[in-house]
Amino acid sequence: MSHTKQNHSLSYEMILWISLLIVLPLVILAFYFYSTMTSGLKDLEKEQAIIKSQAAEKLFDKLGESILGVTISNGLWGDNRDALLNKDIEWLQQNIYTISDLVPNIDFVAEADLLGQVIIQHGDVSELTDLVKLPTIMERFQDTQGFTGVTDTSKGLAIVAVSPVTGDDGLDKPVGMLVTGRFIDSAILKSIQSTLQSDLAVLLHSGQFLSSNEAISKNKLSGFLNDLQTAGNQKNAFTTEKHNNVSMAKVAVSFQDMADQTIGDLYLESPSNASGEVEAGLRKLGIYAGIIMILLLILVSYLLRRRIILPLRQFAITMERMASGAPVDEIPKNVMQADAEIVGAFQKIIHWNHSLEKTVEQRTLAIRNLLDSAGQGFMSFGADLIISDEHSVECNRIFNQEVARNSLPELLYPNDVEEQKLLKSILDEYFQEQDVNAKELIFSLLPAEVYIQQIPIQLDYKIIEDNQEMKSEALMVVLTDISEKRLLEHKMDAERHLLKMVVKVVTNYDDFVEMVREYEHFYQTELYEFLHTRGTLEQHILTIFKKVHTLKGNCGLMYLIHVAPNLHLMEEQLSNLLKQKELITSEKFIELIASFPMKQWLDEDIALLQDILGDEFLQDEQTNVIVIDLEKLIEFEYKIAKLLKEDKDKTLLLELRKWRYKPVRTFFRSYPEFIQRLADREGIFIHPLVIEGGDTLVDPEWFQPFARTLIHTLRNVIVHGIEDSEERIDAGKEQYGTIQFKIQMAEEQIHLTISDDGRGIDLEHIRTKLVEKGQSESDDAKQLSDDELLEFIFAEEFSTKQEVSDLAGRGVGLSAVKSAVEILGGAVNVKTMKGRGTTFEFYVPLPEAN
């Protein structure tokens, strides 16, 4: 083969490879960019066309709203209601029959009773002759007070408005329905056309055809729909066509009536030149880019031939001549230059290779020393899950053995076979998986922390893509002893809790003092009274259990470190006794109650407070403070009320009572912060709770026991009522829930309202729970009304929670609330709507002033 032919072959091969590796990918990329851009523009035009079609449907609904007002106003006409009840045909013909003649936008009217029997009708619509023959109207009338919709009648497409006939105030029970309507014609379509700037037409299955433009005929639209159906297009069919160099976007969507039944097709046509202009611009850009690529290909080919191919060809000729023994008088300059560069580069590579080997050896030794001294364990493993020989010394110390050649699952979980199997299955799946995204997901399932010889060890994983020893992908595990970190976190949590308790007590000192008195009174007096009064053992346990449940909530408000958690444990044991009450005697129960060191719990918390606030904290002997015995003050008030009967003397009594009376809202001032804390703990987003109203002064001794129980109601709102953010967004609600707390005065009683916009009370779930707990037979439960079902949420030991926690599940919270409000002579009312929320209303009558 001649040198010229070899040169040409090499040149052609270089050009071919350049074309395949550079030119062809660029062409493919350009074509993909062109296709993607044009396709995206068409999708955008299609989306805009569909949005216009949806806007057209909304405009039809707007037309219905324009006649709904007339319908509603006549439906709220009391004389109309009386005439319908009395079948006063003459009155109805004079006043209702003539609506379509008097109101320009109404073409027909009909009035029917609740059974759909048409009393009068004007407009000759066969569906409203003797009966309302539109099932959707009858179905929606049961749930909706006033509504509109599109329907296909015997006289053509019409917008129908329906309103109940209820009387002047709209509160009377409906006695019938008033149906008015307007036929849709080309004039209406033209008004919609001017709004949307698009021609539109409607072709119904019944054969009726309406168009806003005479250029759109029934045959033309039918042909368009048939072509789309033949092409396989379904709902929301879209296409673009050019007419006289103008691109037209055409879309056909299903046209549905008020029953969501498809009754025809809605067609829109509007000019759209965007995609055509962009396509033309992209084609020009493609031509220019092609010319530039050809020029670049020629230039690159010339440079390759000049700087590489020709020197190599000359070098090969020279080497052949030297090999054949032919004399070489002179080596061409370009060959000498090429040869010198190649030899020099090769020598440099050898030198760099030796230097690199030494550097790598030194760096490896330095890294090993660094890892051994880092205080962390570093070890790697491959698909066989066996630890390699390369690991840091710290690994052996952590596991107290040589880790090399040991299985990773057995090292991490030496005494737990199930955890070993789980970890092995995760790692096997990781090494077998080829998809990168799937591997990342599996990677996230690896354990992040384990306990090795009772020491918490943090695990971090690194991917080793090129592992020479394991000949495949490998993972590195970094082990860090975090025992000191955990200890520090526990200390910080304890200090943080202590500070919260101090701040809470200082800012709510009056409430704290009252809570301490109530707590001391419970374990000093009430417990003895409960245990030595008449009644069954079950009654005693339940009474003490409810009191402990309330005390726990109040102490939790103050963040009491020792009292609150110990009351929770006490509550747990009382709960177990209620379940096994037949196995314990009164004597053993008294011994159990006596074993609870309630005074010690309180003393420990007060000692913590005094350590920070000083020994004088919570002492009666305070400078410049007049201490009045509460019982003496109440006795003094009673004497004044009994002896001083004149009105001016009552003013003195009110001034005296202000010494200890407090506004209602002060009893709840700690609730907003407590509720926010509960919401944060449960992962619930809520707006800050605001107490509205509550300026009325009340006797704390009288009102506070009830006020303290309301914490159960608010706790239930967080645990049962407000949904998490994801559930609220799915339900079309705001991400943050809202809780309203209103205090009002009405007719000498306190009206207190707690409402939320949460999921509401699931009445069917209550019905199911009654059957499961044996509190009602299945057939009896089905007969219970909504109000009767709601009464069960106040029953003792009734809860819809599956598991008991420190927040809910006991079934005594709302029972305690109801008991407290009834002691005050009040009542509670509950309103709920599924998906909308729940409202608790408490009515507490004020005691007489004298």
Side-chain angles (χ1 to χ4, degrees):
M1 182 180 296
S2 66
H3 294 296
T4 303
K5 189 173 183 179
Q6 291 179 1
N7 178 49
H8 288 169
S9 298
L10 183 58
S11 300
Y12 294 151
E13 186 175 351
M14 293 295 294
I15 294 174
L16 177 61
W17 281 111
I18 292 172
S19 300
L20 291 175
L21 297 178
I22 299 177
V23 177
L24 183 59
L26 290 176
V27 171
I28 294 174
L29 181 62
F31 179 79
Y32 173 79
F33 175 76
Y34 174 83
S35 302
T36 303
M37 288 293 294
T38 54
S39 175
L41 287 170
K42 288 183 179 179
D43 290 341
L44 181 60
E45 289 180 350
K46 178 180 179 180
E47 183 179 355
Q48 291 176 342
I50 292 175
I51 290 174
K52 282 190 176 182
S53 68
Q54 294 171 349
E57 293 176 352
K58 290 182 179 179
L59 289 174
F60 282 119
D61 294 338
K62 290 288 185 181
L63 293 174
E65 294 175 2
S66 67
I67 63 175
L68 182 59
V70 176
T71 310
I72 292 176
S73 63
N74 283 278
L76 296 179
W77 191 1
D79 292 339
N80 182 16
R81 184 178 187 275
D82 296 336
L84 184 58
L85 283 172
N86 300 323
K87 298 296 190 294
D88 189 348
I89 304 301
E90 180 180 355
W91 188 94
L92 293 173
Q93 287 180 342
Q94 290 178 355
N95 295 276
I96 303 302
Y97 189 86
T98 58
I99 289 178
S100 59
D101 295 328
L102 298 176
V103 181
N105 292 333
I106 295 179
D107 297 321
F108 60 89
V109 62
E111 193 160 273
D113 59 19
L114 295 175
L115 297 177
Q117 298 285 344
V118 178
I119 308 302
I120 61 165
Q121 196 241 141
H122 184 259
D124 296 329
V125 178
S126 63
E127 288 82 356
L128 301 173
T129 302
D130 50 357
L131 286 171
V132 178
K133 299 175 183 177
L134 297 170
T136 304
I137 290 181
M138 297 303 297
E139 293 172 0
R140 291 184 62 183
F141 184 77
Q142 303 300 323
D143 302 321
T144 309
Q145 293 299 306
F147 58 92
T148 66
V150 177
T151 186
D152 190 9
T153 70
S154 58
K155 295 188 70 176
L157 188 64
I159 299 174
V160 176
V162 181
S163 174
V165 180
T166 63
D168 291 334
D169 55 6
L171 300 177
D172 295 327
K173 185 176 181 180
V175 299
M177 67 181 75
L178 179 61
V179 183
T180 59
R182 179 182 182 184
F183 294 111
I184 298 176
D185 54 17
S186 298
I188 292 177
L189 295 187
K190 288 181 180 180
S191 66
I192 296 177
Q193 173 196 18
S194 63
T195 301
L196 299 179
Q197 296 297 309
S198 297
D199 295 329
L200 69 159
V202 176
L203 178 58
L204 303 181
H205 295 333
S206 60
Q208 184 181 2
F209 174 77
L210 298 170
S211 175
S212 65
N213 190 337
E214 295 177 357
I216 303 176
S217 64
K218 182 176 181 180
N219 292 335
K220 179 180 177 181
L221 179 53
S222 298
F224 173 77
L225 295 173
N226 290 334
D227 292 341
L228 292 176
Q229 188 173 8
T230 302
N233 292 332
Q234 303 297 327
K235 186 179 179 181
N236 298 340
F238 172 82
T239 187
T240 56
E241 294 180 3
K242 274 196 174 181
H243 295 287
N244 300 326
N245 294 326
V246 177
S247 180
M248 302 296 293
K250 301 179 180 181
V251 65
V253 299
S254 298
F255 190 74
Q256 296 178 328
D257 63 4
M258 63 192 302
D260 294 329
Q261 299 293 324
T262 301
I263 59 174
D265 298 282
L266 176 64
Y267 170 81
L268 278 87
E269 180 178 295
S270 56
S272 177
N273 296 319
S275 62
E277 293 176 357
V278 172
E279 286 181 15
L282 290 176
R283 282 194 294 270
K284 289 182 180 178
L285 180 61
I287 293 172
Y288 296 148
I291 294 173
I292 292 173
M293 281 194 295
I294 292 173
L295 294 176
L296 287 175
L297 181 60
I298 294 172
L299 178 60
V300 170
S301 300
Y302 171 78
L303 292 175
L304 287 173
R305 179 176 174 80
R306 175 68 179 171
R307 299 296 297 173
I308 297 176
I309 296 174
L310 289 180
L312 288 177
R313 175 192 170 217
Q314 189 64 51
F315 180 77
I317 293 172
T318 304
M319 293 300 293
E320 287 179 1
R321 291 181 62 187
M322 292 176 62
S324 62
V328 178
D329 299 330
E330 183 179 5
I331 298 177
K333 182 178 179 180
N334 54 355
V335 174
M336 291 179 62
Q337 183 179 4
D339 182 69
E341 290 177 355
I342 293 173
V343 173
F346 185 77
Q347 290 175 342
K348 286 182 180 180
I349 289 173
I350 294 175
H351 175 72
W352 290 341
N353 184 54
H354 290 304
S355 299
L356 182 60
E357 288 179 353
K358 290 183 179 181
T359 302
V360 169
E361 185 178 353
Q362 293 172 355
R363 295 285 178 85
T364 301
L365 181 59
I367 292 173
R368 176 176 292 278
N369 292 332
L370 178 63
L371 294 180
D372 288 341
S373 305
Q376 291 179 301
F378 299 88
M379 59 186 186
S380 59
F381 61 93
D384 58 358
L385 309 187
I386 300 300
I387 304 301
S388 69
D389 293 331
E390 298 296 328
H391 60 271
S392 65
V393 176
E394 184 68 12
C395 295
N396 297 337
R397 187 198 66 80
I398 291 175
F399 292 98
N400 196 26
Q401 62 174 311
E402 175 60 44
V403 299
R405 301 305 172 185
N406 279 295
S407 169
L408 177 68
E410 294 177 2
L411 280 174
L412 296 182
Y413 303 103
N415 300 317
D416 194 332
V417 177
E418 293 299 323
E419 287 292 342
Q420 292 178 19
K421 292 180 179 179
L422 177 60
L423 179 57
K424 184 178 184 305
S425 65
I426 294 173
L427 290 171
D428 288 343
E429 187 175 357
Y430 173 83
F431 284 110
Q432 294 171 8
E433 182 61 54
Q434 300 298 321
D435 183 72
V436 176
N437 294 328
K439 289 176 76 71
E440 290 182 357
L441 179 60
I442 299 171
F443 193 81
S444 65
L445 300 177
L446 293 173
E449 184 176 326
V450 295
Y451 276 83
I452 299 174
Q453 299 182 30
Q454 299 182 348
I455 297 176
I457 302 296
Q458 178 180 306
L459 304 178
D460 296 299
Y461 305 89
K462 306 294 181 183
I463 299 174
I464 305 174
E465 296 183 355
D466 241 342
N467 188 275
Q468 296 297 328
E469 180 181 351
M470 300 176 184
K471 307 299 182 183
S472 62
E473 181 183 8
L475 292 178
M476 173 185 287
V477 185
V478 182
L479 304 98
T480 306
D481 184 343
I482 56 173
S483 54
E484 293 185 1
K485 177 183 177 182
R486 285 285 180 268
L487 181 60
L488 180 60
E489 289 175 352
H490 290 322
K491 289 182 178 179
M492 292 179 64
D493 287 341
E495 291 179 2
R496 190 180 295 111
H497 199 152
L498 176 60
L499 290 176
K500 285 184 177 180
M501 180 178 70
V502 173
V503 172
K504 194 68 177 180
V505 168
V506 170
T507 56
N508 299 272
Y509 181 74
D510 292 343
D511 292 342
F512 173 72
V513 172
E514 186 62 33
M515 187 210 67
V516 170
R517 290 174 180 170
E518 182 180 2
Y519 181 83
E520 291 176 336
H521 181 67
F522 173 69
Y523 74 76
Q524 292 174 353
T525 303
E526 285 186 283
L527 269 179
Y528 179 81
E529 293 175 352
F530 290 153
L531 296 174
H532 295 82
T533 55
R534 292 183 179 180
T536 64
L537 176 61
E538 181 181 359
Q539 290 175 338
H540 291 160
I541 297 175
L542 185 59
T543 301
I544 296 175
F545 177 70
K546 291 168 65 175
K547 184 65 177 180
V548 170
H549 188 66
T550 300
L551 283 174
K552 183 190 74 171
N554 295 333
C555 293
L557 285 173
M558 295 295 171
Y559 295 96
L560 295 188
I561 295 174
H562 294 91
V563 176
N566 281 301
L567 284 177
H568 179 67
L569 296 177
M570 182 177 179
E571 183 186 48
E572 285 282 351
Q573 296 190 42
L574 292 173
S575 176
N576 294 332
L577 287 182
L578 286 173
K579 298 175 183 177
Q580 304 173 357
K581 48 187 174 292
E582 66 278 357
L583 302 178
I584 187 171
T585 63
S586 297
E587 292 75 12
K588 289 185 178 181
F589 176 62
I590 293 175
E591 291 178 4
L592 174 65
I593 294 300
S595 68
F596 295 121
M598 297 185 67
K599 181 178 184 304
Q600 177 184 336
W601 302 340
L602 180 62
D603 290 342
E604 289 173 347
D605 282 334
I606 291 178
L608 290 174
L609 292 169
Q610 290 177 336
D611 185 51
I612 295 177
L613 301 174
D615 294 337
E616 296 79 11
F617 174 73
L618 210 63
Q619 300 295 326
D620 291 336
E621 297 78 10
Q622 298 183 28
T623 307
N624 298 326
V625 175
I626 300 176
V627 180
I628 301 178
D629 184 82
L630 181 60
E631 293 182 358
K632 295 294 184 182
L633 180 60
I634 295 175
E635 181 181 356
F636 186 51
E637 290 177 6
Y638 175 76
K639 288 181 180 180
I640 292 178
K642 184 177 181 180
L643 299 175
L644 303 178
K645 298 294 185 180
E646 297 182 6
D647 292 339
K648 63 180 181 180
D649 297 325
K650 292 182 179 180
T651 303
L652 178 61
L653 177 62
L654 292 176
E655 289 297 324
L656 179 61
R657 283 179 172 173
K658 285 183 180 179
W659 285 19
R660 64 183 184 86
Y661 276 32
K662 297 180 181 180
V664 174
R665 65 173 179 272
T666 61
F667 297 96
F668 310 108
R669 60 191 175 189
S670 62
Y671 283 12
E673 188 272 340
F674 176 72
I675 291 304
Q676 186 62 57
R677 177 160 55 94
L678 285 184
D680 294 340
R681 174 177 171 180
E682 294 292 300
I684 302 298
F685 294 104
I686 61 170
H687 291 292
L689 176 64
V690 178
I691 309 297
E692 301 181 25
D695 294 327
T696 303
L697 297 175
V698 295
D699 184 350
E701 294 293 319
W702 169 77
F703 189 75
Q704 192 166 51
F706 161 68
R708 289 191 181 280
T709 65
L710 286 183
I711 192 63
H712 302 309
T713 305
L714 288 169
R715 183 188 289 115
N716 276 14
V717 171
I718 296 298
V719 176
H720 297 285
I722 302 296
E723 313 93 327
D724 58 39
S725 58
E726 182 177 352
E727 184 178 345
R728 290 182 64 84
I729 292 172
D730 291 341
K733 297 183 180 180
E734 183 187 1
Q735 183 181 10
Y736 282 75
T738 299
I739 304 174
Q740 292 185 330
F741 195 124
K742 295 182 180 180
I743 307 171
Q744 299 171 305
M745 285 296 302
E747 300 180 355
E748 297 300 320
Q749 64 179 353
I750 300 172
H751 181 199
L752 194 149
T753 305
I754 298 175
S755 61
D756 65 82
D757 64 346
R759 58 172 64 90
I761 299 175
D762 191 340
L763 299 178
E764 292 305 317
H765 189 48
I766 294 178
R767 203 186 306 273
T768 302
K769 280 291 182 180
L770 290 176
V771 177
E772 290 178 357
K773 292 176 177 290
Q775 295 176 268
S776 177
E777 296 294 334
S778 178
D779 293 337
D780 295 338
K782 293 180 180 178
Q783 302 300 322
L784 294 175
S785 65
D786 292 351
D787 291 338
E788 290 173 330
L789 286 171
L790 287 172
E791 284 297 320
F792 281 97
I793 69 176
F794 297 103
E796 293 179 354
E797 298 187 38
F798 181 84
S799 175
T800 57
K801 268 283 188 180
Q802 296 295 333
E803 297 179 357
V804 176
S805 68
D806 60 342
L807 295 183
R810 301 292 188 190
V812 297
L814 292 182
S815 172
V817 177
K818 187 176 183 182
S819 298
V821 73
E822 289 177 346
I823 289 173
L824 299 183
V828 57
N829 183 37
V830 184
K831 300 176 183 177
T832 187
M833 183 177 294
K834 192 172 182 180
R836 298 291 183 85
T838 303
T839 299
F840 287 85
E841 294 181 315
F842 300 91
Y843 299 91
V844 182
L846 288 173
E848 294 182 358
N850 53 4

